[in-house]
Amino acid sequence: GTSKPATARYRGDCQQRWNGELPTKLMKVLLTGSQGTVGGAFRRVAAVRGIDVHPWNRAEVPPEEPSAVHALMKRVQPGAVLHLAMGAPAWAAQMAGYSAEERIPFVFTSTVSVFAAPGPHGITSERTATDEYGRYKADCEDAVLKASTAAVVVRLGYQIDPHGPGNNLAQH
């Protein structure tokens, strides 16, 4: 879509500002999907690097309740939001919008399944998903980028972590 170049521009701006160092503000991350393969790996790396991770607990804060989502984000006041969990596009959009309002970096993990054919694919490549999962992730991407042109969408291929839980290529 048309917002993809803004994503690339934001990523470059972050690299210029940070010079390879995490700013102190980013030392607190709100993390969805903390029990999954990627979330578990992030938690392990964050622990080593001294990053305070606040995992999202759906039992305490249901994603389908916008007022609860907003209240959690206000209470936690993260320096960044990493949305790695499965959930409704509206949830992803709400977090991306709040992050944009507060000028907080927001990262959403998507998938290469938004493409029907093997790659390589570029940032502006047309998404051609033919399965339900790929279409769902494309809908989430659209919702996130509509809510925030500063959001970063990361499309993952395989999840490989022999120590992690979840959908994991190393388990097959």
Side-chain angles (χ1 to χ4, degrees):
T2 57
S3 56
K4 300 242 191 288
T7 301
R9 187 171 54 252
Y10 179 75
R11 188 171 38 241
D13 291 347
C14 288
Q15 289 170 349
Q16 279 183 333
R17 281 192 303 240
W18 299 345
N19 294 325
E21 298 285 326
L22 274 177
T24 304
K25 183 179 179 186
L26 290 186
M27 299 308 275
K28 186 175 193 178
V29 174
L30 178 60
L31 176 66
T32 69
S34 65
Q35 299 302 309
T37 303
V38 178
F42 178 80
R43 283 185 297 113
R44 288 191 302 277
V45 169
V48 170
R49 295 195 178 176
I51 299 170
D52 179 17
V53 176
H54 185 95
W56 190 292
N57 183 333
R58 290 181 194 227
E60 294 175 8
V61 183
E64 61 278 358
E65 294 182 17
S67 61
V69 171
H70 187 74
L72 174 70
M73 294 184 79
K74 286 290 248 192
R75 181 172 46 83
V76 172
Q77 296 187 350
V81 177
L82 300 182
H83 186 33
L84 311 180
M86 296 285 291
W91 179 34
Q94 183 182 6
M95 289 189 298
Y98 174 84
S99 297
E101 289 170 13
E102 298 297 321
R103 302 182 55 83
I104 300 168
F106 180 87
V107 176
F108 171 73
T109 53
S110 188
T111 176
V112 295
S113 294
V114 298
F115 304 109
H121 302 285
I123 291 173
T124 59
S125 295
E126 180 181 358
R127 295 168 305 169
T128 56
T130 56
D131 66 356
E132 187 176 328
Y133 178 68
R135 287 190 301 269
Y136 153 74
K137 283 295 199 173
D139 289 345
C140 287
E141 288 182 9
D142 291 343
V144 163
L145 294 172
K146 183 177 180 185
S148 171
T149 58
V152 175
V153 172
V154 178
R155 293 180 179 142
L156 304 178
Y158 297 106
Q159 300 175 26
I160 302 174
D161 181 357
H163 307 292
N167 181 13
N168 186 335
L169 183 65
Q171 295 172 347
H172 297 286

